[in-house]
Amino acid sequence: MVIDTREHWRWPEVHWVNKELDWRAGGAITAGVDVGSISSKTAVMVDGKLYAYAILRTGASSPDSAVRATKKALEGTGLEIEKIHLTIGTGYGRINVPFAQKTLTEIACHARGANFVWGPTVRTVLDMGGQDCKAIQCDERGKVTSFLMNDKCAAGTGRGVEAFADLVKVPIEKIGEESFSIKEEPKPISNTCVIFAKSEALGLLRKGWDRNVVIASYLSAMAHRVYTLLERVGIAKDFVISGGIAKNPGVVRRLTTLTGIEPLAPNPQYDPQIVGAIGGALFAHAMLQKQKGAK
Amino acid sequence: MKAHYGYKDGSGEYFIVIDTDRCVQCSDGACVPACPLGLLERIQDDYDDTVCAVKEASRNKVKYACAPCKPVGAAAAPPCVAACARAGIRHTW
Amino acid sequence: MLSCGIDVGARTVKVVVLENGRIRGRAIRVAGLQVEDDVAAALKEAAAGEVRTIVATGSGREAVKEARQRPTGITCAARGIHFLLPEARMVIDVGAEEGRAIQCEGGRALNFAVNEKCAAGAGTFIETMSRTLEIAVDGFGPLALQSTKLVPMNAQCAVFAESEVVSLIHEKTPKQDIARAVCDAMAGRIGSMCRRLAITPPVALVGGVAKNTAFVRALENDLKTDLTIPPDAEYVSAIGAALIAAEEH
């Protein structure tokens, strides 16, 4: 018997340092620490330029995770947490960043970060994480003009896809591709609720439906759901997608059909998970400038 | 800013929408005491504006929490909506 | 002359056969893939003779081809509760996939509120949690009644609540306390739904969840009123449908 001991949920930790910058030569050093339910991220900036970042799995303690992610970001640079002039905490665990002087919501940080990563033409940001879904509209400065966040219901989150992947026994990273191995696009699953959608899907499988058609039907329902959320806040060009769902073409391509707007490609320079932390570091930089101006 | 507090689930969309551009002009925050369950609060938002918001702990239960203010067949606006002189708050359901 | 009411629910098919205003037969079957077969089997089990008129209700009522009428579950529950408990002025019906509260009088529905299409507001929520806790659904209520400690349940979604229950188990929270938290959370949601109507006693509770004693107690506390669970509580809508069938003669 072969026992599959692979852990599909384990993703590599990320650490990146900008070799072209020297923090010793710069003036303002700021950080954004984004403590999410799954991952903790720190972005460090020198004079408003991205200097280093790290992404780690969130542990049992949020303060510990915030410190670990920040130490990881600073690893090998000679820079220490104490030397950061201003730190902003964001994300689900934002109040648990021990060295942060201020906290901001992940909504504001995401919009600001997307403006930096993709440029000032970004108007709509969709972030679909493991346990939530955020739809944001922002202006050319990255200021939020409309937003919603859904973390009440698992439908339309990574957890919803996970639960479904488990039912059809397809690894989560393959489910998007599989959903296109079909002859004709089926109607979306009629239930939104993950629990009810699973029993609906099970019924279809028992009726003899092809597995990939059922997957397509489920992901199509997800795309419709996300579309209605985007519609509520308003959707305009340029449109960007961050979070785990960005890696699922089964949802992204169907969503593109519905919106008629092609999302901008991920910026290869930055990991899409770091957007919120970058936003935090940018807010910190702006605050520092304001304080200096006031003195 | 249009802040949508609430959620969408299988049964429908339940958002309390607060238009903070109107809210910021308000000095008293009349909607806050109008809510019999105390779901609303005055906060300083991410852009340092003083505005009203739905308390974080209540955001995921608005459908249920607001139910007594939305009796079946009622045509009148719920108390929070009625209290806002600037029409800065509305419910989507 | 036999008249028959069939309630095709999400989880079960219920059949009631009436003769001269009395229940002659009844049957309950788990709804499988071919609902038509389950309806036929239940009908065979319940009826001892030729059925004159059939009326179907419930979410799967379209599956009953021979039905003369297909009234809503609201209409049938109001009718059925009048037969079982004529003094009832409100009936709360919590089934597998739907919860509803109906204000009624003389067998007619005056007003109603519904929770549907979200597992958090229906019997499926408790069923899912019982699976996570590895407790039989029948044992869930009695176990929860042994609880001595209140533990908070924050998740408002059955999928997220599963994870919350798993972490409570890992923290070594006694199962009875978790079971109680599940019943309390569910009762809170059903109670809020009921408050969209005026709570008018006597209030009857029907549907599969009425068998869960801890849920019943939690809902009584939430609504601050006693609940009456009539005998044959799960057949209420089928009885209502059968009464409507009898009128067709």
Side-chain angles (χ1 to χ4, degrees), chain A residues 105 145 147 151-152 232, chain B residues 2 4 8-9 13 46 60:
Chain A
T105 69
T145 52
F147 76 88
D151 63 355
K152 182 265 180 191
R232 194 162 272 295
Chain B
K2 300 234 176 9
H4 297 69
K8 176 188 168 103
D9 67 15
E13 287 189 36
D46 294 328
N60 284 346

Side-chain angles (χ1 to χ4, degrees), chain A residues 94 102 104-105 108 143-153 192 225 228 232, chain B residues 1-10 13 15 46-49 56 60 90 92:
Chain A
R94 60 182 174 272
K102 188 179 162 80
L104 290 172
T105 69
K143 188 183 178 199
V144 179
T145 52
S146 178
F147 76 88
L148 69 78
M149 179 164 118
N150 201 346
D151 63 355
K152 182 265 180 191
C153 168
T192 298
R225 175 191 162 81
T228 57
R232 194 162 272 295
Chain B
M1 177 164 67
K2 300 234 176 9
H4 297 69
Y5 297 108
Y7 55 89
K8 176 188 168 103
D9 67 15
E13 287 189 36
F15 289 102
D46 294 328
Y47 306 103
D48 293 332
D49 290 328
E56 203 161 338
N60 284 346
R90 70 184 173 89
T92 64

Side-chain angles (χ1 to χ4, degrees), chain A residues 28-33 43 45 84-89 101-102 104 109 112 277-291:
Chain A
I29 302 170
T30 60
V33 183
M45 289 195 146
I84 300 172
H85 298 118
L86 191 67
T87 300
I88 282 180
Q101 283 83 3
K102 188 179 162 80
L104 290 172
C109 289
R112 187 74 176 251
I278 289 179
L282 283 167
F283 268 112
H285 181 69
M287 268 180 69
L288 213 55
Q289 295 307 106
K290 215 170 145 187
Q291 283 172 11

Side-chain angles (χ1 to χ4, degrees), chain A residues 131 151-154 157 159 193-196 203 206, chain C residues 33 97 117-119 124 128 156-160 163:
Chain A
Q131 301 191 41
D151 63 355
K152 182 265 180 191
C153 168
T157 70
R159 265 308 297 282
C193 174
V194 174
I195 302 267
F196 294 159
R206 287 195 185 137
Chain C
L33 273 180
E97 296 197 351
K117 294 181 176 147
C118 169
T124 301
T128 308
Q156 298 289 323
C157 163
V159 174
F160 291 148
S163 328

